[in-house]
Amino acid sequence: MNNRIYVAIDVETTGLQSGLDEIIEVAAVTFRGREILDRFERLVRPRQSVPLKITRLTGIDPAALAQAPRFNEIGAELARFIGNRPIVGHSISFDLTMLRAQGMNFNQPVYDTFDLATLLLPQATSYKLSALAARLGIPHPDAHRALNDAEVTAQLFAELTERMLQLDLATLGEMVRLMGKIGLPLRDLFEEALRQKARNAFLEPIAVPTEPAEPQSAELPPLRPTGDARPLDLDAISAFFSPDGPFGRAFPGYEPRPPQVEMARAVAKAFNQSEPLLVEAGTGTGKSMAYLAPATLYAAQRGERVVISTNTINLQDQLYNKDIPDLQRIFATAGLPAFRAALLKGRSNYLCLKRYHELRRSENLAVEEVRALLKIQLWLPVTTSGDRTELPLVDREQAAWNKVNVSVETCTGARCPHFRECYFFRARRAAESAHVVVVNHALLIADLAAASQVLPPYDHLIIDEAHNLEDVATDQLSFNLDQAGLLKFLDDLFQTGGAQVVSGLLSELPAILTELGGGGAAGERITAAIERMRPTLIRARTAVYECFNLLTRFVQLDTESASQYDPRLRLTKGVRQRPEWQAIEQAWQNLSDMLAAIGNELAVIEEQVRELNEASGGLDDVLLRAEVLRRFATDARVRSGHVIFGDDDSICWLTYDRQRDTLTLTAAPLSVAEILQSQLFAQKQTSILASATLSIAGDFAFVKSRIGLAECDELMLDSPFDYEQQALVYIPNDIPEPNQRGYQQMIEQAIIDLALAAGGRMLALFTASNALRQTYAAIQETLEDHGIGVMAQGIDGSRRALVDRLKEFPRSVLLGTNSFWEGVDVVGDALSVLVITKLPFAVPTDPIVAARSEQFADPFSEYSVPQSILRFKQGFGRLIRSRDDRGIVVVLDRRLLTKKYGQQFLDSLPHTRVRTGPLANLPGLITRFLQAKNGGV
């Protein structure tokens, strides 16, 4: 394999759009194995100016480009250098697309080191060329220059092909077999590796492909109570966080934080007294350790489990991969009782070995399914978790995961032949043996909805990022149904292809009964149920089309809905009283009656299959399918009935996607407070809810009412940061309000002026994507002319990539919406100006917002304003992330000054100086504030 000569290619461009963007540098190297044979490198003069972000990224001097040749002057030379040699590149399709746009053609084999790395390095944290080079120890001194990237790509290719030869014959054979199904270019490399391996070890059998990796440690028995019922010593908790205590001694230069100690004592008291606790802990409090230390001490001492729930993956990773291991080391050093921790995710995150092997044996595989199987094949020997986050699935491969993951519909639990090595149940057993189990809010609520069948039993609960709980609970407890879902249900029962039955439970049951010798009386009852169901299934399919056609026409005729970008029609009593709705109700009642009849017959089949399974076994899969289909028939009938006929406890709406021509029925709970109170908090001895944003002007009443925590202890802790000196809030008093003419133009000019004054170092938060995109287009050219880059969410990369770039190039402006309002940490001088373009009020026409608003006498003041304040506080918290940070928050929404609710927003912030004045004064103020060492302005 290494005797062939390849050519590695890389191009640098003005952007990522072929046809619009141009090549500014091209390089290629010929190589054999790890030996570079020859090099080609040329700058190329583009017809357009090079964006600042590209100049920063590549370091290419625009003056040098001005003297460079056009591509047509060097294209022939490049073509001769490449010749007919096989081409190698990292994400090579982009490079070849840009070269083809210049008239070049390539007929030789092409190998992508990105694709190869995702196969052979399945657990890499990043597949960027620089990250892979760092992981493999390949020198990469000048990233984003074409020649260096080409040389590193050649070395990466050599390393990966050598790793290919380390695979066993069975695995290589399976890889070649799967690749042959879709003609993957990489198949040539694996075939050559297989030939070389076979020549060197011709007696090695091509046996069963590699089995899953063994867990790193032996499984532990389930957690058992110790019988030690002593309460936690609050003074010992305080001493734990003192400079001479176990926590203080573990960190050089440790400074105790009084708010952290106060919170830790409150958490310990909540455990001792079994009282719910609501804690607002400002940024910098150290709240995760403040609840972890007493919780783990309590759990270890008593042998009782504590579940900790977070909303974001970032916090989940911080707790499980950093804070908890730190605490375990501190406990061990101090002689405190050891505790075990586990991370548990929803079952769909784990690989199902049974489904994986079934799909691998399938004859009819889609391209994305083969690609996913190839990656899983090489991931299995190294993963001990089976967690999909380890697996680098891209694009449509993600959809293929749903055919190999653990699902309620296909999981037979302990009856499965793969039960002992099952990743999900292995994680479940680890959770059953753990003192602390880390989950996310979605799984917490899923456990509630499944009557505690998901998580191991627990009596103590800590919910961090608790301000998200209502939204997550609403989402998890909602019901969605579309035409495709109903048709799939009918197909899973009985699907025909022409005159021949091709699939479905009802088509398979007669053959199963034949194998059982007819199944006796149970078999007769199953056969009778099938015959009764067949005509109903045919009518039901017609009824589904009729119902959804009526619903679609109804939504299309609704003029109010037709004007919306995301057309959702809330189904109120008024809507249901329209004459056209009566026909929909009649059609749906007809379909509902059919679903009831189908559900009844499935109940008969389920009962008889269970009887046969108990008698002879081997019918676990069939029984599970019957159970799942019967439950779907019932759920779809009952819950869609709430949507069509109305339900006082539900918010119902229709969503019509014009682009895909699909319509979805949705029902969400009008309130989650009663559900959370009765089914979650009332069932736990300890419930602790924490966040940096839970109060409105010093009052917890709004959040308590939303999540059903009426009676609880409350603790409000100020941040240890000195906001009076570190921060300043400025509200211009001479700008238009958001609904007035000139507001958007004002935002654009203000951001330009502020960015010039601060030298970039800015994050601007928006409430809508269209305003963000409009601003991006308006400010980019002007700011880049002054050496300030502009980046935007949804345009220039992922959230993590954008934040990393702001840290690397502080002379930048980052525009964000949605997820940027919380969970973004930029410590230091890279972020000095936070612009909040508009108060983050929810869209009043949103069905959930509209329905819940109607529960209040004064919906705006009692519901919309408090919600917006919590979001506003989250946004404000992006600026000051350490004791050394300094910066200004600019709010470009004059309603803070002109509306009576404005003072509530300001009263909800940490104690910070607030200034108002003309917008024109702001650039000078920013310059002076950021230059002042003592915070004076």
Side-chain angles (χ1 to χ4, degrees):
M1 184 184 294
N2 286 339
N3 290 328
R4 295 175 72 184
I5 296 177
Y6 301 86
V7 58
I9 299 173
D10 188 77
V11 302
E12 302 299 336
T13 64
T14 58
L16 300 177
Q17 292 182 275
S18 62
L20 292 177
D21 290 305
E22 299 178 74
I23 295 172
I24 56 175
E25 187 179 38
V26 60
V29 298
T30 54
F31 67 99
R32 182 194 294 114
R34 293 182 180 271
E35 180 187 5
I36 303 294
L37 303 175
D38 200 2
R39 295 172 173 83
F40 177 95
E41 179 184 26
R42 296 289 186 274
L43 289 176
V44 179
R45 177 159 48 100
R47 289 174 173 79
Q48 59 183 277
S49 61
V50 180
L52 178 63
K53 68 185 76 172
I54 301 299
T55 302
R56 285 179 172 175
L57 196 64
T58 62
I60 295 174
D61 184 0
L65 284 178
Q67 305 301 316
R70 299 287 190 190
F71 189 88
N72 58 11
E73 298 175 54
I74 58 102
E77 187 183 0
L78 174 62
R80 286 193 297 274
F81 185 88
I82 295 172
N84 291 319
R85 299 183 184 94
I87 293 173
V88 174
H90 200 69
S91 300
I92 187 63
S93 61
F94 171 76
D95 303 80
L96 296 185
T97 298
M98 298 302 292
L99 290 169
R100 287 187 179 112
Q102 297 296 328
M104 298 190 72
N105 290 304
F106 307 96
N107 298 313
Q108 60 264 63
V110 176
Y111 306 118
D112 193 332
T113 50
F114 176 89
D115 288 343
L116 199 53
T118 59
L119 289 172
L120 294 165
L121 302 171
Q123 291 175 313
T125 55
S126 170
Y127 291 89
K128 292 194 300 185
L129 184 61
S130 57
L132 291 171
R135 176 186 172 102
L136 299 173
I138 299 170
H140 194 195
D142 203 359
H144 295 296
R145 288 303 299 266
L147 182 59
N148 285 284
D149 283 357
E151 291 191 8
V152 170
T153 299
Q155 296 297 328
L156 174 62
F157 182 77
E159 172 70 29
L160 292 173
T161 52
E162 288 173 12
R163 286 182 176 238
M164 206 182 296
L165 291 169
Q166 296 172 16
L167 300 174
D168 58 60
L169 280 170
T171 300
L172 283 168
E174 178 67 4
M175 298 292 286
V176 170
R177 183 187 75 83
L178 287 170
M179 287 179 178
K181 290 179 175 289
I182 59 172
L184 204 64
L186 294 177
R187 183 187 183 189
D188 297 347
L189 300 177
F190 280 87
E191 281 185 326
E192 177 61 24
L194 181 60
R195 284 193 291 269
Q196 285 194 35
K197 191 86 171 179
R199 281 197 299 269
N200 295 333
F202 58 89
L203 293 177
E204 184 179 340
I206 299 179
V208 179
T210 310
E211 287 301 304
E214 288 297 317
Q216 293 172 336
S217 56
E219 290 187 5
L220 296 164
L223 193 64
R224 295 281 183 261
T226 63
D228 186 346
R230 289 174 300 159
L232 292 174
D233 184 334
L234 301 192
D235 291 335
I237 295 293
S238 298
F240 180 84
F241 287 99
S242 71
D244 296 329
F247 194 78
R249 291 196 303 269
F251 299 100
Y254 171 77
E255 294 181 13
R257 290 177 270 191
Q260 184 179 48
V261 177
E262 187 177 353
M263 177 175 170
R265 290 177 64 95
V267 169
K269 179 184 173 188
F271 274 98
N272 287 344
Q273 299 183 354
S274 297
E275 290 289 339
L277 173 66
L278 203 56
V279 184
E280 179 175 86
T283 306
T285 301
K287 66 174 166 39
S288 59
M289 280 298 183
Y291 60 67
L292 275 175
T296 50
L297 280 168
Y298 186 91
Q301 178 182 305
R302 297 196 174 209
E304 297 178 10
R305 187 174 295 108
V306 178
V307 166
I308 300 175
S309 181
T310 76
N311 186 56
T312 62
I313 293 174
N314 285 350
L315 180 55
Q316 195 176 67
D317 287 345
Q318 177 194 314
L319 290 176
Y320 188 71
N321 296 319
K322 182 183 181 300
D323 293 347
I324 287 174
D326 283 348
L327 208 52
Q328 287 173 323
R329 285 190 290 271
I330 292 169
F331 275 30
T333 302
L336 294 168
F339 68 91
R340 298 184 294 275
L343 176 67
L344 190 59
K345 298 184 178 182
R347 67 178 71 216
S348 64
N349 289 282
Y350 298 95
L351 178 73
C352 171
L353 292 167
K354 177 173 173 286
R355 298 184 77 198
Y356 160 67
H357 288 302
E358 287 173 351
L359 185 65
R360 198 166 53 80
R361 290 191 294 268
S362 175
E363 291 299 320
N364 302 311
L365 291 172
V367 172
E368 60 270 14
E369 291 170 350
V370 172
R371 287 180 172 274
L373 286 171
L374 289 167
K375 291 179 178 180
I376 294 169
Q377 173 78 24
L378 298 185
W379 173 57
L380 269 179
V382 294
T383 183
T384 56
S385 71
D387 184 344
R388 67 174 292 176
T389 57
E390 295 180 358
L391 198 59
L393 299 176
V394 297
D395 301 329
R396 282 190 254 176
E397 294 167 8
Q398 304 278 0
W401 174 259
N402 293 327
K403 295 194 174 184
V404 294
N405 63 350
V406 181
S407 70
V408 174
E409 294 81 6
T410 58
C411 181
T412 55
R415 300 191 300 275
C416 176
H418 298 278
F419 177 70
R420 285 311 304 172
E421 66 265 34
C422 173
Y423 295 110
F424 170 66
F425 284 102
R426 192 186 291 173
R428 172 71 188 242
R429 290 191 291 272
E432 288 172 348
S433 74
H435 299 86
V436 175
V437 179
V438 180
V439 301
N440 63 16
H441 293 352
L443 186 61
L444 179 75
I445 302 302
D447 181 61
L448 177 153
S452 302
Q453 297 298 306
V454 179
L455 301 179
Y458 69 99
D459 291 319
H460 311 285
L461 172 64
I462 296 174
I463 300 176
D464 202 343
E465 301 179 311
H467 60 280
N468 296 116
L469 185 61
E470 182 187 15
D471 287 346
V472 176
T474 300
D475 184 61
Q476 288 294 310
L477 297 173
S478 292
F479 165 79
N480 295 287
L481 183 68
D482 60 11
Q483 179 175 287
L486 279 169
L487 292 178
K488 181 182 181 301
F489 162 70
L490 296 175
D491 287 345
D492 288 345
L493 279 169
F494 188 82
Q495 185 178 15
T496 59
Q500 298 294 317
V501 175
V502 292
S503 65
L505 178 65
L506 303 192
S507 69
E508 296 168 26
L509 278 170
I512 294 170
L513 292 175
T514 300
E515 290 179 12
L516 295 174
E524 291 177 4
R525 285 190 283 270
I526 291 171
T527 302
I530 292 172
E531 292 306 313
R532 289 193 299 269
M533 216 188 306
R534 285 185 193 275
T536 308
L537 290 174
I538 296 169
R539 294 198 307 273
R541 191 176 297 273
T542 302
V544 168
Y545 285 114
E546 181 187 359
C547 286
F548 278 88
N549 287 339
L550 287 170
L551 285 168
T552 300
R553 282 201 296 273
F554 185 86
V555 174
Q556 288 172 334
L557 290 172
D558 189 85
T559 54
E560 182 180 319
S561 174
S563 65
Q564 296 180 24
Y565 175 74
D566 175 22
R568 288 173 294 177
L569 174 63
R570 183 179 160 217
L571 299 178
T572 61
K573 288 181 179 178
V575 171
R576 292 192 181 94
Q577 288 170 358
R578 296 180 192 174
E580 304 91 337
W581 194 257
Q582 306 310 310
I584 291 172
E585 288 188 348
Q586 290 172 8
W588 204 272
Q589 184 61 58
N590 182 40
L591 175 60
S592 181
D593 292 343
M594 294 179 197
L595 290 173
I598 292 169
N600 291 338
E601 300 298 353
L602 282 170
V604 171
I605 291 173
E606 180 186 340
E607 182 181 350
Q608 301 309 311
V609 170
R610 180 175 286 106
E611 184 179 309
L612 289 172
N613 196 40
E614 290 172 355
S616 56
L619 297 176
D620 289 338
D621 288 345
V622 177
L623 178 59
L624 179 61
R625 288 169 65 191
E627 289 174 358
V628 168
L629 290 167
R630 190 258 309 156
R631 282 200 303 268
F632 181 92
T634 303
D635 287 350
R637 177 177 61 81
V638 173
R639 301 189 72 174
S640 67
H642 295 163
V643 179
I644 300 299
F645 303 106
D647 171 35
D648 291 341
D649 295 327
S650 298
I651 306 163
C652 303
W653 69 91
L654 306 175
T655 304
Y656 178 55
D657 184 331
R658 281 177 170 72
Q659 194 171 8
R660 299 178 181 173
D661 192 27
T662 59
L663 185 137
T664 306
L665 287 69
T666 304
L670 180 60
S671 170
V672 298
E674 295 80 6
I675 299 171
L676 292 175
Q677 169 56 34
S678 61
Q679 298 182 39
L680 186 63
F681 302 132
Q683 306 298 321
K684 306 304 169 193
Q685 289 181 33
T686 312
S687 297
I688 296 164
L689 288 80
S691 170
T693 53
L694 290 173
S695 70
I696 311 294
D699 192 333
F700 287 110
F702 177 74
V703 167
K704 288 167 64 177
S705 71
R706 301 312 305 162
I707 59 175
L709 204 60
E711 299 295 328
C712 65
D713 289 338
E714 301 172 6
L715 179 63
M716 192 173 303
L717 298 168
D718 289 335
S719 167
F721 300 153
D722 186 355
Y723 281 92
E724 290 280 358
Q725 295 299 315
Q726 292 180 251
L728 173 70
V729 176
Y730 192 90
I731 310 163
N733 58 13
D734 58 349
I735 58 175
E737 292 188 7
N739 59 348
Q740 294 176 340
R741 183 179 300 176
Y743 173 73
Q744 176 63 30
Q745 291 77 9
M746 177 276 300
I747 286 178
E748 294 160 6
Q749 191 58 51
I751 290 177
I752 289 172
D753 294 343
L754 301 180
L756 293 175
R761 298 190 285 171
M762 178 192 294
L763 170 64
L765 296 175
F766 291 78
T767 60
S769 295
N770 57 347
L772 178 148
R773 290 178 177 274
Q774 196 172 334
T775 303
Y776 179 83
I779 70 174
Q780 185 178 18
E781 185 176 348
T782 302
L783 287 178
E784 290 196 353
D785 286 345
H786 289 82
I788 296 173
V790 180
M791 304 175 290
Q793 179 183 2
I795 297 175
D796 292 309
S798 67
R799 185 171 86 159
R800 175 178 292 181
L802 293 175
V803 171
D804 287 347
R805 236 178 290 167
L806 180 62
K807 294 175 182 177
E808 185 179 357
F809 302 109
R811 200 169 167 78
S812 301
V813 172
L814 174 53
L815 312 181
T817 183
N818 299 330
S819 61
F820 274 78
W821 282 79
E822 60 180 287
V824 173
D825 288 349
V826 183
V827 178
D829 291 339
L831 178 58
S832 298
V833 179
L834 173 71
V835 177
I836 295 177
T837 58
K838 187 178 179 181
L839 297 180
F841 286 107
V843 178
T845 55
D846 178 278
I848 292 174
V849 174
R852 288 177 176 170
S853 294
E854 293 168 1
Q855 308 303 302
F856 297 88
D858 182 358
F860 184 74
S861 298
E862 297 177 47
Y863 182 65
S864 297
V865 168
Q867 268 199 330
S868 182
I869 287 174
L870 293 176
R871 189 81 165 148
F872 181 74
K873 289 173 68 174
Q874 280 290 331
F876 178 88
R878 297 313 96 213
L879 184 64
I880 304 299
R881 308 301 299 175
S882 77
R883 292 180 187 271
D884 299 322
D885 286 352
R886 290 176 51 74
I888 288 187
V889 179
V890 179
V891 186
L892 295 177
D893 193 331
R894 193 161 60 98
R895 290 177 295 179
L896 281 181
L897 304 175
T898 61
K899 306 298 183 184
K900 60 182 180 181
Y901 58 75
Q903 194 58 43
Q904 280 185 270
F905 280 80
L906 298 175
D907 289 345
S908 298
L909 297 179
H911 300 296
T912 312
R913 287 173 291 173
V914 178
R915 295 256 181 119
T916 64
L919 181 61
N921 291 355
L922 191 49
L925 180 65
I926 284 178
T927 302
R928 295 194 303 276
F929 182 86
L930 297 181
Q931 289 175 349
K933 292 183 179 179
N934 60 2
V937 292

